[in-house]
Amino acid sequence: MRRIHRHGSAAVRAAACAALLALGIQASAAPAAKARPLPDELPVETLSTGPIAASTAERVYVADVAVSHISDGRIRVFDARQGRFLGMISTGYVGNFTLSANADELYVATTYLSRGSRGERVDVLEVHDTESLAFKYEIALPAKRAQALNYRGLVRASGNGRFVLVQNATPATSITVVDLQQRKVVSEVPTPGCWGILPASSHGSRFSMLCGDGKLATVTLDDNGQVSDRQISEPAFDADADPWFHHAEQLADRYWFVSFKGMLTEVDVGGAVAVVKSARPLVGDAGQRAGWRPGGYQPFAIDPSGRWLVVAMHDKGSEGSHKRPARRLWMFDIATGTRVATAPGHGSVSLTFSRSGQRLQALDGEKGALHVWRWGERGKLTPISTVARAGEAAIHLESHD
């Protein structure tokens, strides 16, 4: 059996060799295939930027902290009328941003690590052109910028537009003063126990801050960005009984704040000392019994005329529910304190009016959607556009126009 198997294998090998030889002869006899011409080289791709069309001046900036890949944050820019995506600005590691007074520049205070998630830390203030979203220049910051979720009060331009003020936390609190004319940091203002930046309008280099004891601290800078005066107000709220949301709405020297339980307070920061001008509850007895409270990150908005207030509200509120998305939007006439309308909440956690006052814009904290409505008299909302997914972790928005 062993001898027959070997002979059989030899026969198979011989047959295979003969077949391959025959195929080789046929292949050599076949005419060579005609070579196909190579296609033309594709043009080299280059990155470029261009101006945003003048027809899309109505637009919204949505800051996304991108928690799942937090070193790669961004600001997405949308056409408010059509909901179209117009462009994007990188904000690095939990970068915060603000706009110049006339919205021609956008300032991002951010952090970069040399190895992405590790390595040498570099903090910078980046300046971008809003017409093209192109980077213009950067200014080095001390490596102590507050690496925090996106809030309006963490980076602000001074009233005269010369300085950009950046919140620090190490965890000791201070404010870095950046001179845009000299393109450098000119001072650091220690602010123990106080947080956030509330620039005055009438005095171009004055700003106030909320403090943990319920007072407001006011700092006045000189022309060189150095502290020339510092004052503390009388107590404005009880941080234990009814704390304020950090978000504030500004008209000139007036700021409005809303408390966790729904108290609206107006403060004037134009003078050397901040002064409370008025305070009134937004929730009546029946609403309190149902547990209606404000909630969100940018939880209310005031239109540019100073007449209308919109608040993101939820029912069955309790201690710790102050970030809860809206069940309803409540609209108020500020002059009378009267609630004039309500509307579905759309899960809103952030609200802002356009600078024209013609639109109300909201971020849905549950679905990540951006909603834009036409603002009508006494709170009538007419849908204009919706972006189904405006960000992954978007909680701060600003209007260009």
Side-chain angles (χ1 to χ4, degrees), residues 18-31:
L20 289 173
L21 180 59
L23 287 173
I25 293 171
Q26 292 175 6
S28 62

Side-chain angles (χ1 to χ4, degrees), residues 239-304:
D240 293 318
D242 191 15
W244 285 359
F245 286 91
H246 185 261
H247 173 73
E249 289 287 296
Q250 179 187 9
L251 286 179
D253 287 334
R254 294 183 296 163
Y255 281 86
W256 283 266
F257 296 89
V258 169
S259 73
F260 286 12
K261 294 180 181 179
M263 180 69 70
L264 175 69
T265 304
E266 179 188 347
V267 178
D268 189 324
V269 302
V273 181
V275 178
V276 172
K277 304 300 290 185
S278 66
R280 64 164 58 97
L282 299 174
V283 184
D285 293 340
Q288 290 181 20
R289 289 192 294 271
W292 284 98
R293 292 189 176 192
Y297 291 83
Q298 199 171 327
F300 68 101
I302 291 178
D303 83 301

Side-chain angles (χ1 to χ4, degrees), residues 158 160 162-165 175-179 182 184-190 203-207 218-230:
S158 62
N160 58 13
R162 176 171 178 178
F163 303 111
V164 172
L165 311 171
I175 302 294
T176 291
V177 180
V178 182
D179 189 327
Q182 301 185 60
K184 68 176 184 179
V185 171
V186 292
S187 68
E188 181 183 346
V189 182
H203 192 296
S205 53
R206 175 176 287 158
F207 64 94
T218 299
V219 173
T220 303
L221 304 175
D222 62 20
D223 292 340
N224 298 315
Q226 306 301 311
V227 176
S228 64
D229 188 42
R230 187 193 300 256

Side-chain angles (χ1 to χ4, degrees), residues 28-360:
S28 62
K34 186 177 181 180
R36 295 180 180 178
L38 295 176
D40 295 336
E41 289 287 338
L42 294 174
V44 177
E45 292 184 352
T46 57
L47 295 177
S48 61
T49 60
I52 294 176
S55 60
T56 53
E58 296 176 289
R59 56 183 187 261
V60 185
Y61 301 91
V62 177
D64 185 359
V65 71
V67 172
S68 62
H69 46 100
I70 201 166
S71 62
D72 184 29
R74 66 282 310 277
I75 298 167
R76 293 182 178 88
V77 186
F78 296 97
D79 176 356
R81 288 289 171 183
Q82 304 297 327
R84 293 185 298 112
F85 175 70
L86 299 176
M88 188 165 60
I89 295 174
S90 172
T91 57
Y93 185 83
V94 286
N96 278 269
F97 85 100
T98 193
L99 290 163
S100 61
N102 59 3
D104 64 334
E105 288 186 331
L106 184 147
Y107 310 113
V108 177
T110 189
T111 301
Y112 296 100
L113 301 178
S114 61
R115 295 295 182 270
S117 60
R118 61 182 178 83
E120 181 182 0
R121 171 178 172 173
V122 176
D123 288 17
V124 291
L125 178 72
E126 299 176 337
V127 180
H128 295 263
D129 172 33
T130 58
E131 290 309 305
S132 65
L133 307 184
F135 170 80
K136 295 177 68 175
Y137 63 91
E138 68 179 31
I139 300 169
L141 297 174
K144 55 179 65 177
R145 178 191 70 86
Q147 297 175 331
L149 292 179
N150 302 130
Y151 283 95
R152 178 179 289 172
L154 301 187
V155 183
R156 292 296 305 275
S158 62
N160 58 13
R162 176 171 178 178
F163 303 111
V164 172
L165 311 171
V166 180
Q167 179 70 59
N168 297 326
T170 60
T173 55
S174 65
I175 302 294
T176 291
V177 180
V178 182
D179 189 327
L180 293 177
Q181 291 182 7
Q182 301 185 60
R183 296 192 180 184
K184 68 176 184 179
V185 171
V186 292
S187 68
E188 181 183 346
V189 182
T191 59
C194 303
W195 184 259
I197 304 160
L198 306 167
S201 177
S202 60
H203 192 296
S205 53
R206 175 176 287 158
F207 64 94
S208 297
M209 301 160 285
L210 295 186
C211 304
D213 59 2
K215 301 176 182 179
L216 284 89
T218 299
V219 173
T220 303
L221 304 175
D222 62 20
D223 292 340
N224 298 315
Q226 306 301 311
V227 176
S228 64
D229 188 42
R230 187 193 300 256
Q231 301 287 338
I232 301 293
S233 75
E234 295 295 320
F237 65 99
D238 187 331
D240 293 318
D242 191 15
W244 285 359
F245 286 91
H246 185 261
H247 173 73
E249 289 287 296
Q250 179 187 9
L251 286 179
D253 287 334
R254 294 183 296 163
Y255 281 86
W256 283 266
F257 296 89
V258 169
S259 73
F260 286 12
K261 294 180 181 179
M263 180 69 70
L264 175 69
T265 304
E266 179 188 347
V267 178
D268 189 324
V269 302
V273 181
V275 178
V276 172
K277 304 300 290 185
S278 66
R280 64 164 58 97
L282 299 174
V283 184
D285 293 340
Q288 290 181 20
R289 289 192 294 271
W292 284 98
R293 292 189 176 192
Y297 291 83
Q298 199 171 327
F300 68 101
I302 291 178
D303 83 301
S305 74
R307 181 179 180 185
W308 305 112
L309 164 72
V310 183
V311 188
M313 302 291 293
H314 61 275
D315 59 349
K316 301 178 182 178
S318 61
E319 180 70 23
S321 72
H322 57 281
K323 300 298 185 186
R324 190 173 295 171
R327 286 283 304 279
R328 303 289 295 178
L329 299 178
W330 287 12
M331 292 75 162
F332 294 85
D333 184 323
I334 294 178
T336 64
T338 304
R339 192 178 76 187
V340 297
T342 69
H346 295 279
S348 299
V349 293
S350 297
L351 298 164
T352 197
F353 276 95
S354 63
R355 298 188 185 200
S356 65
Q358 296 177 358
R359 302 188 314 275
L360 178 69

